[in-house]
Amino acid sequence: MKKYSQVYSYYKELIDNGQIKSGDKLPSIREAATVFSVSKTTIQNAYFDLQSDGYIISQPKSGYYVSDIQISNIPYSADVKTKNICKFDLKSGDADSKCFDLKLWQRYIKSALRQEERYTSYSEAQGEADLRNALAAYIKEKRNVITSPDRIVIGAGVNYLLSVLCSLIRHSGFNAKTVSFPTESFINGISVFEDYGFEAHIRDKNADIIYVSPSHMTSYGDVMPIKRRLELIKHSEIKNSLIIEDDYDSDFVYLSKPTPSLYALSGNRNVIYMGSFSNVLLPSIRISYMVLNDELKEVFDMRREFYSQTAGKTEQIALCQYIRDGRIKAQTRKIRRIYLNKTKVLYEMIKAEIPSVKCSVAENGLMLKLTAQFSKQLDVFEKNDLSVYIQSYDGTTLKLVLIPSAVDFEQLKEAVNALKSALL
Amino acid sequence: MKKYSQVYSYYKELIDNGQIKSGDKLPSIREAATVFSVSKTTIQNAYFDLQSDGYIISQPKSGYYVSDIQISNIPYSADVKTKNICKFDLKSGDADSKCFDLKLWQRYIKSALRQEERYTSYSEAQGEADLRNALAAYIKEKRNVITSPDRIVIGAGVNYLLSVLCSLIRHSGFNAKTVSFPTESFINGISVFEDYGFEAHIRDKNADIIYVSPSHMTSYGDVMPIKRRLELIKHSEIKNSLIIEDDYDSDFVYLSKPTPSLYALSGNRNVIYMGSFSNVLLPSIRISYMVLNDELKEVFDMRREFYSQTAGKTEQIALCQYIRDGRIKAQTRKIRRIYLNKTKVLYEMIKAEIPSVKCSVAENGLMLKLTAQFSKQLDVFEKNDLSVYIQSYDGTTLKLVLIPSAVDFEQLKEAVNALKSALL
C-alpha cells in the first residue's frame, strides 16, 4: 500500500469508527508528516482526498476538521425526488453500466486534462475541431454518412441539438410550419418543436419536417424497411420537405441487416443526420452530434455567435481519442453481443416458465413483445418490483414490451419469476 | 524521472527528431518491457500517452506505429475559421487564464472521477443535487439570494438556461408576449427569446418580461443604482411582470459597493436569478444556474422529463467540492484584485502617454472609457493589432471602451503604444 493510501485509510477508519468525531481537529500537515514519516505533499494529497470524499473540511487559516459526515453524505441524494425505481427495469432500455470500462474512460479523461492550452479559450460553438474530424471519419465508416467536419455540430444531447436546429430552420429561407413524428412516444422531440411554434403531427407524410428514427420507429423496436426509406426520400424531394434522421439504436439493429442511412440514400440534399453516444458509453456522457445540410450550415455560419457549446471540452477531447483508438467500435460490438444475448435468454426463460403468454423477439433483437390474457390491476407489475412498458390493455388482453438491457444477467431469472406472479 | 516518463520521452524524441518515421512500427509491449527492464504496465501507460498525444497509433491485432504527426496535429485547429485575433484584446473582457490554477482544478476533476457509482446513471435534468446544495449556500452568502436547492436549475451556459426558461414561461399560466433588454448588445439573449416567439424591445419598462444585468447594464459597465433597482421591483409588481436578473460580473463590481441583488430586494415574488462561473473559472467550464420562482418551479416539476441536463457530471461534482472548499471565493478575490489593478495601470499609462484623450474608469472598475478627436479610418485599430469596442464615432469624436482583463500585465505598455499610434 502506498504511503498516501495509508494516511488516507488511517483517518478514514478513525472517522468511520467514531474514534474521532465531527468537529475534531486533525493534526496540521507538518505534524502529520512527522508522525507518519512521509513528505508534506503526501499528507496534503491524503487530506485533499479525505476532503473531496466529505470526511474532513478545511477551515482557511485554522486547519482541518472532521466534517459532519451525515450532513456531507446527505446532499447527494437528499432532495432528489424519490423515483419509483423498481428492482427489475425492463422498460428504460438503459445501458448496462457493468459493460462499460469506466477505468479506461477515466484514463482518456485524464489524458484530455493534460492538453492544458485548450482549456483557456472559449469552446467552439460548433464543437471541438478534432472531435468533428474523428466523427466525420467514424460515421463515414459506420453509416456511409459522408460529410465534411465543418457541417457537424456537437452538443450536449439530441434535445439540445433539436433546439439549435429549430432555431436554424426559423432563420433559414425554409418556411416550415408542421413537423411529423413516428409515434406520440417521442415526447421530448415533440416538445422542443412545439416550444418553437411548430405544429406537431403523428405520421403525417405531408408535414414540412419529417422526424424519423429508422432503427427505432416505435416503442417496440420496428425498423424502417429499405423500401419505405426510399419512398420517404422520394416523397420528401417532391414535397421539398426536410427529413431529420435520428440514428438512435442503429448500432444495435441486427435481425434485419443494418439498413443504409437515409442520409446516405438521399445524398443529403434534405436530410439532417443525428447521432449520440449515451447508449454506447455511459448515460451521463452527454455528447451528441448532427450533420447539417448546406443551407442550414450557411445559417449556422452566419449566426454562429448566437449558439454556444454545451458539451464539455474535456469529454470532447477524450471522446475524440476514444474514437480514433477504435474503442467505440469495440464497445459497440461488446454491448450488442451482451444485449442480444440477454434478450435471447429472457425469451427462452419466458417460453419455459410462462408458456401461456405469446412472446416474440422484436425486429431490432433488443426487445420482447408479450401478449397475455390478463384481468388484474395494472399496478401489479410495480407491486412485483417490475418496470415494464404497457403497450395496450383492453381489460382482457394485455400487450407488453420488455427491454432487458439494463437488468443484470444474474437477475433475469428472478425477473421472470416476478413477471410470472404478476401475470398469473 | 519515473520509468514511465523515460519510455515516453525516449520515443517522443525519436519521433520528434525524425529518427523513426511515420509508419514505422514500435516494438511490442512485451519486447519494450524487456528492453527497458520495466513492467508491461509501464510500457502500456507510456504507449497510451504517446497515442493520446498523437505520436503513435494502435492497429488492433497488429501493433503500434508512428503516426503521421503532421496529420494528427492539424485537426485541432485546421477547420476552425481563422478569427481576426488581434494581439491586444481590449474588447472581449475574457478571463486572464494565467490567473487560474488549472492544476488545482484538474485535481478536483480527478477526484470527481473517483465517484464511480455516480456515472452509471442519467444526469438529473435539474443538475446534481449536491452541487445545487452548495450553490444555494454560496449565493446566500454572496448575494443574499435565499432559496431551496430544489428551485435551482443547472445548465451548460446562460443561453441554454434562457431557452429552458422560455419553454417554462410558455407552459406556465403567464401569458407573456414581450421582453425588454437593457441594450441591443445582449444579442444572444434577444435571439433566444425571439426564437421562442417573444417580441424583444429595448428598455421598455412595460414589457411582460424584463431582462436586466444590474452589474453590467451597458457595454461600458454601468451599474444599476439601488434607487433604480427598487423602482424596477415596484413597477414590476404593479405590472405583474417577470424580472430576469442576470448577475453577470457582480463579483467584480467595486467602485460602487456591491449593491443588493434584485432577488433579495424583491423577496423573489417575480425575480428569476441567474449566475455563471465562466468568468471566474475558465471560459471552457460551462456551468450556469438559475433560481426559479414558485410558479415556474412547478412547471419545471411537471415537465421535468422534457428537459435534459447539458452540463457534464464530472465538472458538476468537481465544482461542488471546489465551492465547498472556499476555492471560488478565493479565486474571485484574486482575479478581482488583478483585473482592477490592470485597469488602474492602463489608466495611468494612457494619462501619461496619450494626454490628449479624455479617459475615465468605468463605474465597475474594470473598463476605461476614452474620448478622442479622431479622423482616421476605423480599421486603424486592427492594423495596430488592437481589438477595441467602438461605442460611437461621428467623424470627429470617437468614444472607445477598453477592457484589459485578457491582456497580460507585461503587454499593457505595448498595447498603450499601439493605441497611441492608432489614435494620433
Side-chain angles (χ1 to χ4, degrees), chain A residues 170 176-181 193-194 196-201 207 209:
Chain A
R170 280 277 173 255
K177 288 190 178 67
T178 51
V179 56
S180 164
F181 281 83
F193 275 91
E194 284 183 343
Y196 276 89
F198 293 91
E199 233 179 75
H201 300 171
I209 303 166

Side-chain angles (χ1 to χ4, degrees), chain B residues 255-400:
Chain B
L255 278 182
S256 53
K257 275 213 185 127
T259 34
S261 63
L262 293 171
Y263 183 103
L265 289 171
S266 84
N268 185 37
R269 278 181 292 278
N270 60 343
V271 177
I272 309 298
Y273 179 88
M274 306 188 93
S276 117
F277 292 99
S278 35
N279 60 349
V280 179
L281 303 176
L282 283 181
S284 59
I285 300 172
R286 312 266 313 149
I287 302 187
S288 302
Y289 57 94
M290 61 180 173
V291 180
L292 298 176
N293 64 8
D294 289 334
E295 191 192 348
L296 294 179
K297 163 71 170 77
E298 257 178 54
V299 179
F300 187 90
D301 280 343
M302 275 167 42
R303 296 180 48 81
R304 191 175 282 269
E305 59 184 327
F306 297 107
Y307 305 111
S308 50
Q309 182 50 249
T310 47
K313 213 177 236 189
T314 318
E315 289 190 341
Q316 287 187 65
I317 298 172
L319 180 60
C320 172
Q321 194 60 39
Y322 195 87
I323 294 172
R324 283 187 184 166
D325 291 350
R327 304 280 185 190
I328 275 281
K329 276 187 279 179
Q331 176 66 10
T332 306
R333 278 194 303 268
K334 179 179 167 187
I335 60 176
R336 177 159 50 193
R337 200 180 59 236
I338 293 172
Y339 291 178
L340 292 175
N341 211 11
K342 275 187 192 178
T343 312
K344 214 177 122 198
V345 168
L346 184 65
Y347 173 77
E348 300 294 345
M349 282 177 176
I350 290 173
K351 294 286 272 187
E353 294 293 325
I354 329 173
S356 62
V357 306
K358 256 176 63 187
C359 179
S360 63
V361 178
E363 204 180 346
N364 68 9
L366 298 170
M367 307 170 177
L368 297 182
K369 304 185 202 184
L370 252 69
T371 310
Q373 297 311 306
F374 186 80
S375 56
K376 301 188 192 177
Q377 296 292 320
L378 286 173
D379 64 357
V380 71
F381 295 103
E382 211 180 298
K383 282 180 180 159
N384 278 280
D385 239 345
L386 281 164
S387 172
V388 298
Y389 179 77
I390 294 163
Q391 195 192 325
S392 69
Y393 180 49
D394 61 7
T396 52
T397 306
L398 174 73
K399 292 190 175 197
L400 294 181

Side-chain angles (χ1 to χ4, degrees), chain A residues 103 106 113 116 167 195, chain B residues 103 106 113 116 167 171 195:
Chain A
K103 289 265 182 277
Q106 288 172 344
L113 284 172
E116 303 196 351
S167 170
D195 280 351
Chain B
K103 289 266 183 277
Q106 288 172 344
L113 285 173
E116 303 196 352
S167 170
H171 291 275
D195 279 350

Side-chain angles (χ1 to χ4, degrees), chain A residues 46-58 64, chain B residues 108 321 325 327:
Chain A
Y47 278 20
F48 185 87
D49 282 345
L50 285 164
Q51 211 176 329
S52 306
D53 295 349
Y55 287 100
I56 65 173
I57 53 169
S58 146
Y64 294 87
Chain B
Y108 278 90
Q321 194 60 39
D325 291 350
R327 304 280 185 190

